[in-house]
Amino acid sequence: MKSPFLPIVAAASLLALAACNSQPKAPEVVDANPDPMANALKNAAPIEMPPAIKADKSLRCKDNSLVYVTFFQGDKLAMVRTTQGGTATKLTAPTTGAPLTADGWKLTGSPDSIELTQPGKAAQSCKS
């Protein structure tokens, strides 16, 4: 003869086992190799991304020479080359709208028409 309590006891024990570990434990993260620069990076000043290129122009000057100018967004930076693929000179301005300058260099204007002074040369206008 079967005992009527056997199915009840079996169900109760299965229920107890199921409730025993109902919340899965999150794995413990152990940092065995800490970042030596973590504090320095956390306390570092925010960085400023470089400006995007606004225009890249070839301009012909009054003396029939060519200059290659890359204008950047914000109008505070331009790169000037006197030969195609040559070394670029970085011209900067402290504020938007101020002349872009470097040692002996001065540039004013827009991507379509500039006034350029180069070291050892007089100022001249250049147009694209």
Side-chain angles (χ1 to χ4, degrees):
M1 177 165 170
K2 285 187 173 180
S3 171
F5 295 109
L6 186 59
I8 295 172
V9 171
S13 60
L14 285 176
L15 186 61
L17 285 174
C20 193
N21 195 12
S22 63
Q23 292 293 328
K25 186 176 179 184
E28 183 178 345
V29 178
V30 178
D31 191 4
N33 190 13
D35 184 1
M37 293 185 63
N39 285 336
L41 292 173
K42 185 172 78 174
N43 298 327
I47 60 168
E48 182 179 334
M49 295 295 292
I53 293 176
K54 179 179 180 179
D56 197 14
K57 296 283 188 159
S58 301
L59 299 113
R60 179 145 327 256
C61 299
K62 276 202 164 201
D63 67 356
N64 210 25
S65 65
L66 287 173
V67 291
Y68 306 89
V69 183
T70 304
F71 296 91
F72 291 88
Q73 292 291 336
D75 299 326
K76 295 194 293 187
L77 174 65
M79 302 295 275
V80 178
R81 291 174 280 128
T82 56
T83 59
Q84 190 172 17
T87 303
T89 302
K90 181 179 180 179
L91 306 179
T92 59
T95 61
T96 300
L100 300 163
T101 60
D103 291 334
W105 292 81
K106 181 179 177 184
L107 184 143
T108 57
S110 68
D112 295 323
S113 176
I114 64 169
E115 186 76 22
L116 179 67
T117 304
Q118 298 179 45
K121 295 184 179 180
Q124 59 181 337
S125 62
C126 306
K127 295 183 181 191
S128 61

